[in-house]
Amino acid sequence: MIGILYALASAALFGLSAPLAKILLGGVSPWLLAGLLYLGSGLGLALVRLLWHSKETGIQKADLPWLAAAILSGGVAGPVLLLFGLARSSASEASLLLNLESALTLAMAWVIFKENVDRRLLLGAAAIVSGAVVLSWPRDPSLGLGWGPVLIAGACLAWAIDNNFTRKVSASDPMQIAMVKGLVAGAANVTIALALGASWPAGILVLESAVVGFLGYGISLTLFVLALRHLGTARTGAYYSLAPFIGAAAAIALLGDPVTMSFVAGGILMAIGLWLHLTERHLHLHEHEPMEHDHLHTHDEHHQHRHASDVPPEPHAHPHRHRRLVHRHLHYPDIHHRHTH
């Protein structure tokens, strides 16, 4: 249950960031804004980490290749594609189109990374993709498909790659992961934008961008990594589908975007897909192979090990070994349930 709450809270924060970023685009170039949003998230999380001591296990050496690939795809490419797409689309349509991220995340987790995906999740993904097609269909067929939806779809693909790579490091400190991603990706995009001739915006716009980035990217990503730890990639992406609906509603309320027939039809299809994902139940007899890893945990049915005398109170993080275990209960493909079916 806690993993679902993490995913929904992450979705809500990111969903609100899309229309707010659309507003900020009036005074900042898309590439520079992409950098400022991520830089704001990284600096904000760095400040939080200075003031609050985390019990989580830090990023491990084995995590670095996966984290670097996630930063390049989701931290550098993704936000740039999104903001150029936002500049060519209405905020409400762009927000709903972002549902493609969850469908692409699920497809990659299933086909490439062999995560379990059942028929209900596939039907939900099909409904979400159908809604995205309806939403992005050109109003005037003679004009063809606009570049806005194409660029936003590219951002969704970049973030789907990011999500699947980030799952590989989700046992490590989620705030540290989000902080490193924000600092590296933000610095890279700001540098590139300024090198291409972008003008530095007014101080108030920089501050507003940093706040939106801290909440909509930094805190949201921290919660998203926690959800990956508990739910796996495909199901976290499914719950994350709530984000575009929040963003679209905010765009209509804040920016006065029109409520079109394609918006309504696309939204209904996406809502059906989201309902199918939220009501999925996964229960069967399964086996846990012996394994050893390090992450923050409490002594639940999966953590029945002994400690040395110097281990701090629960929840705590330390290297620990899992013995073979066979049992039956409701579960998701979290860091302890990555078995075959």
Side-chain angles (χ1 to χ4, degrees), residues 320-337:
H320 57 277
R321 181 170 178 80
H322 294 269
R323 297 180 178 179
R324 180 180 177 273
L325 175 65
V326 179
H327 60 173
R328 174 185 172 91
H329 63 96
L330 282 171
H331 63 279
Y332 298 100
D334 57 22
I335 60 174
H336 297 107
H337 296 90

Side-chain angles (χ1 to χ4, degrees), residues 76-100:
V76 178
V80 172
L81 290 169
L82 170 65
L83 291 166
F84 274 106
L86 272 175
R88 293 163 174 80
S89 310
S90 73
S92 56
E93 287 184 343
S95 292
L96 279 181
L97 195 56
L98 286 173
N99 255 315
L100 277 175

Side-chain angles (χ1 to χ4, degrees), residues 1-335:
M1 183 62 183
I2 188 65
I4 296 174
L5 295 178
Y6 286 143
L8 294 179
S10 174
L13 288 171
F14 182 71
L16 288 171
S17 73
L20 293 175
K22 176 75 173 179
I23 295 172
L24 292 170
L25 276 172
V28 189
S29 74
W31 207 312
L32 182 57
L33 180 58
L36 291 174
L37 290 171
Y38 264 87
L39 201 55
S41 73
L43 292 173
L45 291 176
L47 179 61
V48 172
R49 283 176 59 83
L50 283 176
L51 300 175
W52 176 68
H53 175 68
S54 174
K55 295 181 178 181
E56 293 275 0
T57 300
I59 295 172
Q60 306 294 301
K61 185 177 181 180
D63 297 338
L64 295 179
W66 294 109
L67 183 57
I71 290 172
L72 183 62
S73 59
V76 178
V80 172
L81 290 169
L82 170 65
L83 291 166
F84 274 106
L86 272 175
R88 293 163 174 80
S89 310
S90 73
S92 56
E93 287 184 343
S95 292
L96 279 181
L97 195 56
L98 286 173
N99 255 315
L100 277 175
E101 179 187 344
S102 66
L104 292 170
T105 296
L106 185 149
M108 290 187 65
W110 178 39
V111 176
I112 298 176
F113 293 95
K114 308 303 180 184
E115 187 172 307
N116 172 253
V117 175
D118 59 23
R119 184 181 303 174
R120 193 178 193 87
L121 282 176
L122 288 177
L123 288 174
I128 289 171
V129 172
S130 299
V133 171
V134 169
L135 188 67
S136 59
W137 201 261
R139 295 184 180 88
D140 184 351
S142 65
L143 297 177
L145 183 65
W147 275 108
V150 173
L151 291 168
I152 294 170
C156 291
L157 177 59
W159 278 322
I161 295 170
D162 174 11
N163 294 339
N164 279 278
F165 287 171
T166 302
R167 183 206 188 209
K168 296 287 189 178
V169 302
S170 60
S172 299
D173 187 343
M175 189 175 292
Q176 186 182 24
I177 291 170
M179 179 194 72
V180 171
K181 180 180 289 187
L183 291 174
V184 175
N189 277 330
V190 166
T191 301
I192 294 171
L194 293 177
L196 293 175
S199 300
W200 193 257
I204 186 64
L205 283 176
V206 174
L207 179 60
E208 290 170 347
S209 300
V211 171
V212 172
F214 172 64
L215 296 174
Y217 288 74
I219 298 298
S220 176
L221 179 57
T222 300
L223 294 170
F224 187 86
V225 176
L226 284 169
L228 286 174
R229 179 185 297 177
H230 290 274
L231 303 176
T233 312
R235 285 156 183 83
T236 298
Y239 286 110
Y240 203 69
S241 300
L242 181 64
F245 292 98
I246 296 173
I252 291 171
L254 297 175
L255 304 177
D257 281 0
V259 181
T260 62
M261 286 300 296
S262 62
F263 175 86
V264 173
I268 290 173
L269 284 167
M270 290 177 175
I272 292 171
L274 178 61
W275 175 77
L276 287 168
H277 286 163
L278 290 172
T279 53
E280 182 237 2
R281 295 291 182 269
H282 190 69
L283 173 67
H284 65 91
L285 187 70
H286 57 277
E287 178 181 350
H288 295 266
E289 295 289 346
M291 66 178 295
E292 187 171 350
H293 59 176
D294 185 351
H295 66 94
L296 190 69
H297 63 277
T298 57
H299 285 188
D300 56 18
E301 61 181 321
H302 297 102
H303 295 88
Q304 297 295 325
H305 48 261
R306 295 181 178 181
H307 299 100
S309 58
D310 59 345
V311 173
E314 300 175 38
H316 52 215
H318 62 85
H320 57 277
R321 181 170 178 80
H322 294 269
R323 297 180 178 179
R324 180 180 177 273
L325 175 65
V326 179
H327 60 173
R328 174 185 172 91
H329 63 96
L330 282 171
H331 63 279
Y332 298 100
D334 57 22
I335 60 174

